CSV table of all heavy atoms in Angstrom, one decimal:
chain,number,residue,atom,x,y,z
A,414,ASN,N,58.0,122.8,95.6
A,414,ASN,CA,56.8,122.2,95.3
A,414,ASN,C,56.6,122.0,93.7
A,414,ASN,O,55.6,122.4,93.1
A,414,ASN,CB,55.6,123.1,95.8
A,414,ASN,CG,55.6,123.2,97.3
A,414,ASN,OD1,55.7,122.2,97.9
A,414,ASN,ND2,55.4,124.4,97.8
A,415,LEU,N,57.6,121.4,93.2
A,415,LEU,CA,57.6,121.2,91.7
A,415,LEU,C,56.7,120.1,91.4
A,415,LEU,O,56.5,119.1,92.2
A,415,LEU,CB,59.0,120.9,91.2
A,415,LEU,CG,60.1,121.9,91.4
A,415,LEU,CD1,61.4,121.4,90.9
A,415,LEU,CD2,59.7,123.2,90.9
A,416,THR,N,56.0,120.2,90.3
A,416,THR,CA,55.0,119.2,89.9
A,416,THR,C,55.3,118.6,88.5
A,416,THR,O,54.4,118.1,87.8
A,416,THR,CB,53.6,119.8,89.9
A,416,THR,OG1,53.6,120.9,89.0
A,416,THR,CG2,53.2,120.3,91.3
A,417,GLY,N,56.5,118.6,88.0
A,417,GLY,CA,56.9,118.0,86.7
A,417,GLY,C,57.9,118.9,86.0
A,417,GLY,O,58.4,119.9,86.5
A,418,GLN,N,58.2,118.5,84.8
A,418,GLN,CA,59.3,119.1,84.0
A,418,GLN,C,59.0,120.6,83.8
A,418,GLN,O,59.9,121.4,83.8
A,418,GLN,CB,59.4,118.3,82.6
A,418,GLN,CG,60.5,118.9,81.8
A,418,GLN,CD,61.9,118.6,82.4
A,418,GLN,OE1,62.1,117.7,83.2
A,418,GLN,NE2,62.9,119.4,82.0
A,419,LYS,N,57.7,120.9,83.5
A,419,LYS,CA,57.4,122.3,83.1
A,419,LYS,C,57.7,123.2,84.3
A,419,LYS,O,58.3,124.3,84.2
A,419,LYS,CB,55.9,122.4,82.8
A,419,LYS,CG,55.5,123.8,82.4
A,419,LYS,CD,54.0,123.9,82.0
A,419,LYS,CE,53.6,125.3,81.6
A,419,LYS,NZ,52.2,125.4,81.3
A,420,SER,N,57.3,122.8,85.5
A,420,SER,CA,57.5,123.7,86.7
A,420,SER,C,59.0,123.7,87.0
A,420,SER,O,59.5,124.7,87.5
A,420,SER,CB,56.8,123.1,87.9
A,420,SER,OG,57.2,121.8,88.2
A,421,LEU,N,59.8,122.6,86.7
A,421,LEU,CA,61.2,122.7,86.9
A,421,LEU,C,61.9,123.6,85.9
A,421,LEU,O,62.7,124.5,86.4
A,421,LEU,CB,61.8,121.2,86.6
A,421,LEU,CG,63.3,121.1,86.6
A,421,LEU,CD1,63.9,121.5,88.0
A,421,LEU,CD2,63.8,119.7,86.2
A,422,GLU,N,61.4,123.7,84.7
A,422,GLU,CA,62.1,124.6,83.7
A,422,GLU,C,61.7,126.0,84.1
A,422,GLU,O,62.5,126.9,83.8
A,422,GLU,CB,61.5,124.2,82.3
A,422,GLU,CG,62.1,122.9,81.8
A,422,GLU,CD,61.7,122.5,80.4
A,422,GLU,OE1,60.9,123.3,79.8
A,422,GLU,OE2,62.0,121.4,79.9
A,423,GLU,N,60.5,126.3,84.6
A,423,GLU,CA,60.2,127.6,85.0
A,423,GLU,C,61.1,128.1,86.1
A,423,GLU,O,61.4,129.2,86.2
A,423,GLU,CB,58.7,127.7,85.4
A,423,GLU,CG,57.7,127.5,84.3
A,423,GLU,CD,56.3,127.4,84.8
A,423,GLU,OE1,56.1,127.2,86.0
A,423,GLU,OE2,55.3,127.4,83.9
A,424,TYR,N,61.4,127.2,87.1
A,424,TYR,CA,62.2,127.5,88.2
A,424,TYR,C,63.7,127.8,87.6
A,424,TYR,O,64.3,128.8,88.0
A,424,TYR,CB,62.2,126.4,89.2
A,424,TYR,CG,63.2,126.6,90.3
A,424,TYR,CD1,63.0,127.5,91.3
A,424,TYR,CD2,64.4,125.9,90.4
A,424,TYR,CE1,63.9,127.7,92.4
A,424,TYR,CE2,65.3,126.0,91.4
A,424,TYR,CZ,65.1,127.0,92.4
A,424,TYR,OH,66.0,127.2,93.4
A,425,LEU,N,64.2,126.9,86.8
A,425,LEU,CA,65.5,127.1,86.3
A,425,LEU,C,65.6,128.3,85.4
A,425,LEU,O,66.7,128.9,85.3
A,425,LEU,CB,65.9,125.8,85.5
A,425,LEU,CG,66.1,124.5,86.3
A,425,LEU,CD1,66.4,123.3,85.4
A,425,LEU,CD2,67.1,124.7,87.4
A,426,GLN,N,64.5,128.7,84.8
A,426,GLN,CA,64.5,129.9,83.9
A,426,GLN,C,64.8,131.1,84.8
A,426,GLN,O,65.6,132.0,84.3
A,426,GLN,CB,63.1,130.0,83.3
A,426,GLN,CG,62.9,131.4,82.5
A,426,GLN,CD,63.5,131.3,81.1
A,426,GLN,OE1,63.8,130.3,80.6
A,426,GLN,NE2,63.8,132.5,80.5
A,427,LYS,N,64.2,131.2,85.9
A,427,LYS,CA,64.5,132.3,86.8
A,427,LYS,C,66.0,132.3,87.3
A,427,LYS,O,66.6,133.3,87.4
A,427,LYS,CB,63.6,132.2,88.1
A,427,LYS,CG,62.1,132.4,87.7
A,427,LYS,CD,61.2,132.2,89.0
A,427,LYS,CE,59.8,132.3,88.6
A,427,LYS,NZ,58.9,132.0,89.8
A,428,ILE,N,66.5,131.1,87.6
A,428,ILE,CA,67.9,131.0,88.0
A,428,ILE,C,68.8,131.4,86.9
A,428,ILE,O,69.8,132.2,87.1
A,428,ILE,CB,68.3,129.5,88.4
A,428,ILE,CG1,67.4,129.0,89.6
A,428,ILE,CG2,69.7,129.4,88.7
A,428,ILE,CD1,67.6,129.8,90.8
A,429,SER,N,68.5,131.0,85.6
A,429,SER,CA,69.3,131.5,84.5
A,429,SER,C,69.3,133.0,84.3
A,429,SER,O,70.3,133.6,83.9
A,429,SER,CB,68.9,130.8,83.2
A,429,SER,OG,67.6,131.3,82.8
A,430,ALA,N,68.2,133.6,84.6
A,430,ALA,CA,68.1,135.1,84.5
A,430,ALA,C,69.1,135.7,85.5
A,430,ALA,O,69.7,136.7,85.2
A,430,ALA,CB,66.7,135.6,84.7
A,431,LYS,N,69.1,135.2,86.7
A,431,LYS,CA,70.0,135.7,87.8
A,431,LYS,C,71.4,135.5,87.4
A,431,LYS,O,72.3,136.4,87.6
A,431,LYS,CB,69.7,135.1,89.1
A,431,LYS,CG,68.3,135.4,89.7
A,431,LYS,CD,68.0,134.7,91.0
A,431,LYS,CE,66.7,135.0,91.6
A,431,LYS,NZ,66.4,134.3,92.8
A,432,ILE,N,71.7,134.4,86.9
A,432,ILE,CA,73.1,134.0,86.4
A,432,ILE,C,73.5,135.0,85.3
A,432,ILE,O,74.7,135.5,85.4
A,432,ILE,CB,73.2,132.6,86.0
A,432,ILE,CG1,73.0,131.6,87.2
A,432,ILE,CG2,74.5,132.3,85.3
A,432,ILE,CD1,73.0,130.2,86.8
A,433,SER,N,72.7,135.3,84.4
A,433,SER,CA,73.1,136.2,83.3
A,433,SER,C,73.4,137.6,83.8
A,433,SER,O,74.3,138.2,83.3
A,433,SER,CB,71.9,136.2,82.2
A,433,SER,OG,70.8,136.9,82.7
A,434,GLN,N,72.6,138.0,84.8
A,434,GLN,CA,72.9,139.3,85.4
A,434,GLN,C,74.3,139.3,86.1
A,434,GLN,O,75.1,140.2,86.0
A,434,GLN,CB,71.8,139.7,86.4
A,434,GLN,CG,72.0,141.1,87.0
A,434,GLN,CD,70.8,141.5,87.9
A,434,GLN,OE1,69.8,140.9,87.8
A,434,GLN,NE2,71.0,142.6,88.6
A,435,GLU,N,74.6,138.3,86.8
A,435,GLU,CA,75.8,138.2,87.6
A,435,GLU,C,77.0,138.1,86.6
A,435,GLU,O,78.0,138.7,86.8
A,435,GLU,CB,75.8,136.9,88.4
A,435,GLU,CG,75.0,137.0,89.8
A,435,GLU,CD,75.4,135.9,90.7
A,435,GLU,OE1,76.4,135.9,91.3
A,435,GLU,OE2,74.5,135.0,90.8
A,436,LEU,N,76.8,137.3,85.5
A,436,LEU,CA,77.9,137.2,84.5
A,436,LEU,C,78.1,138.5,83.9
A,436,LEU,O,79.3,138.9,83.7
A,436,LEU,CB,77.5,136.2,83.4
A,436,LEU,CG,77.5,134.7,83.8
A,436,LEU,CD1,76.9,133.9,82.8
A,436,LEU,CD2,79.0,134.3,84.0
A,437,SER,N,77.1,139.3,83.5
A,437,SER,CA,77.2,140.5,82.9
A,437,SER,C,78.0,141.6,83.8
A,437,SER,O,78.9,142.2,83.3
A,437,SER,CB,75.8,141.1,82.5
A,437,SER,OG,75.1,140.3,81.7
A,438,GLN,N,77.6,141.6,85.0
A,438,GLN,CA,78.3,142.5,85.9
A,438,GLN,C,79.7,142.2,86.1
A,438,GLN,O,80.6,143.0,86.2
A,438,GLN,CB,77.5,142.6,87.2
A,438,GLN,CG,76.1,143.2,87.1
A,438,GLN,CD,75.3,143.0,88.4
A,438,GLN,OE1,75.6,142.2,89.2
A,438,GLN,NE2,74.2,143.8,88.5
A,439,TYR,N,80.0,140.9,86.2
A,439,TYR,CA,81.4,140.4,86.4
A,439,TYR,C,82.2,140.7,85.1
A,439,TYR,O,83.4,141.2,85.2
A,439,TYR,CB,81.4,138.9,86.6
A,439,TYR,CG,82.7,138.4,87.0
A,439,TYR,CD1,83.2,138.4,88.3
A,439,TYR,CD2,83.6,137.7,86.0
A,439,TYR,CE1,84.4,137.9,88.7
A,439,TYR,CE2,84.8,137.2,86.4
A,439,TYR,CZ,85.2,137.3,87.7
A,439,TYR,OH,86.4,136.8,88.1
A,440,ILE,N,81.7,140.5,83.9
A,440,ILE,CA,82.4,140.8,82.7
A,440,ILE,C,82.7,142.3,82.6
A,440,ILE,O,83.8,142.7,82.1
A,440,ILE,CB,81.7,140.2,81.5
A,440,ILE,CG1,81.7,138.7,81.5
A,440,ILE,CG2,82.3,140.8,80.2
A,440,ILE,CD1,80.8,138.1,80.4
A,441,ILE,N,81.7,143.1,82.9
A,441,ILE,CA,81.9,144.6,82.9
A,441,ILE,C,83.1,144.9,83.8
A,441,ILE,O,84.0,145.8,83.4
A,441,ILE,CB,80.7,145.3,83.3
A,441,ILE,CG1,79.6,145.2,82.2
A,441,ILE,CG2,80.9,146.8,83.5
A,441,ILE,CD1,78.2,145.7,82.6
A,442,LYS,N,83.1,144.4,85.0
A,442,LYS,CA,84.2,144.7,85.9
A,442,LYS,C,85.5,144.2,85.4
A,442,LYS,O,86.6,144.8,85.7
A,442,LYS,CB,83.9,144.0,87.3
A,442,LYS,CG,84.8,144.5,88.4
A,442,LYS,CD,84.4,143.9,89.8
A,442,LYS,CE,85.3,144.4,90.9
A,442,LYS,NZ,84.8,143.8,92.2
A,443,MET,N,85.5,143.0,84.7
A,443,MET,CA,86.8,142.5,84.2
A,443,MET,C,87.4,143.5,83.2
A,443,MET,O,88.6,143.6,83.0
A,443,MET,CB,86.5,141.2,83.5
A,443,MET,CG,86.3,140.0,84.4
A,443,MET,SD,85.9,138.5,83.5
A,443,MET,CE,87.5,138.2,82.7
A,444,ASN,N,86.5,144.2,82.5
A,444,ASN,CA,87.0,145.2,81.5
A,444,ASN,C,87.3,146.6,81.9
A,444,ASN,O,87.6,147.5,81.2
A,444,ASN,CB,86.0,145.3,80.3
A,444,ASN,CG,85.9,144.1,79.4
A,444,ASN,OD1,86.6,144.0,78.4
A,444,ASN,ND2,85.2,143.1,79.8
A,445,GLU,N,87.4,146.7,83.3
A,445,GLU,CA,87.6,148.1,83.8
A,445,GLU,C,88.9,148.6,83.5
A,445,GLU,O,89.0,149.8,83.3
A,445,GLU,CB,87.3,148.0,85.4
A,445,GLU,CG,87.2,149.4,86.0
A,445,GLU,CD,86.8,149.3,87.5
A,445,GLU,OE1,86.6,148.1,88.0
A,445,GLU,OE2,86.6,150.3,88.1
A,446,ASN,N,90.0,147.9,83.6
A,446,ASN,CA,91.3,148.4,83.4
A,446,ASN,C,91.9,148.0,82.0
A,446,ASN,O,92.9,148.5,81.6
A,446,ASN,CB,92.2,148.0,84.5
A,446,ASN,CG,91.7,148.5,85.8
A,446,ASN,OD1,91.4,149.7,86.0
A,446,ASN,ND2,91.7,147.6,86.9
Side-chain angles (χ1 to χ4, degrees):
N414 295 318
L415 302 182
T416 57
Q418 185 65 22
K419 183 180 179 180
S420 61
L421 172 62
E422 291 180 2
E423 289 173 351
Y424 175 75
L425 294 179
Q426 174 79 21
K427 296 176 183 177
I428 298 298
S429 69
K431 293 179 181 179
I432 290 175
S433 70
Q434 182 175 349
E435 283 193 74
L436 285 170
S437 301
Q438 293 171 344
Y439 188 82
I440 291 174
I441 290 173
K442 190 174 181 180
M443 287 177 67
N444 285 269
E445 190 168 6
N446 298 316

